[in-house]
Amino acid sequence: MFIIGASCRKLANAEIFIGLSLILQMLFGGFLVNIQSMPVWLGWLEYCSLIRYSFKVLCIIELKDAVYCYPSPTNFTCIPGNYYLESQGIDYSTWGLWQNFMAMGIIGTGVYIITYFKLRTIPKISV
């Protein structure tokens, strides 16, 4: 979001573009549309979504090796959290967890570096 704020000269434009980028990240992160139902030529955009990586980390932390039971009319039905992770295609191994952390760190660092150089190009106001 910092890169958008540094790129826009007017606050109204920054607000519009930040909202648009959040909607696109949610869309390509799998919140609004199932990723498998998107066209193939848009598939690469899912790897640019920070929301996708953070959601996967949250799912792994909360669901790995957990069992969730709920009452049904006759008895209790129990579903292991690992089953949900597998059904969503989430790698819940230790390396799978750290892959998502690394992706968030790399994207975040890249955006901060671009933002730094973008802010350096803004002309200074002399008084």
Side-chain angles (χ1 to χ4, degrees), residues 1 15 18 27 30 32 35 42 46 56 60 69-70 89 92 98 102-103 113 120 126:
M1 301 309 135
E15 290 174 347
I18 287 173
L27 177 69
L32 301 178
I35 292 175
L42 287 176
E46 74 177 285
K56 283 187 174 185
I60 293 170
C69 297
Y70 61 93
Y92 56 89
W98 284 103
M102 285 176 31
I113 290 170
R120 296 283 297 180
S126 59

Side-chain angles (χ1 to χ4, degrees), residues 38-49:
M38 282 194 257
V40 177
W41 59 276
L42 287 176
W44 64 272
L45 287 171
E46 74 177 285
Y47 299 107
C48 300
S49 175

Side-chain angles (χ1 to χ4, degrees), residues 69-113:
C69 297
Y70 61 93
S72 63
T74 58
N75 59 359
F76 278 95
T77 304
C78 295
I79 300 173
N82 293 350
Y83 175 76
Y84 176 78
L85 293 171
E86 290 170 1
S87 70
Q88 295 297 312
I90 298 174
D91 178 16
Y92 56 89
S93 66
T94 304
W95 174 240
L97 177 68
W98 284 103
Q99 276 180 326
N100 292 307
F101 275 125
M102 285 176 31
M104 288 189 295
I106 290 168
I107 292 172
T109 303
V111 167
Y112 280 129
I113 290 170

Side-chain angles (χ1 to χ4, degrees), residues 3 30 34 45 50 68 80-81 83 104 113-114 124:
I3 193 168
N34 191 355
L45 287 171
L50 282 173
Y68 296 95
Y83 175 76
M104 288 189 295
I113 290 170
I114 294 169
K124 295 182 174 66

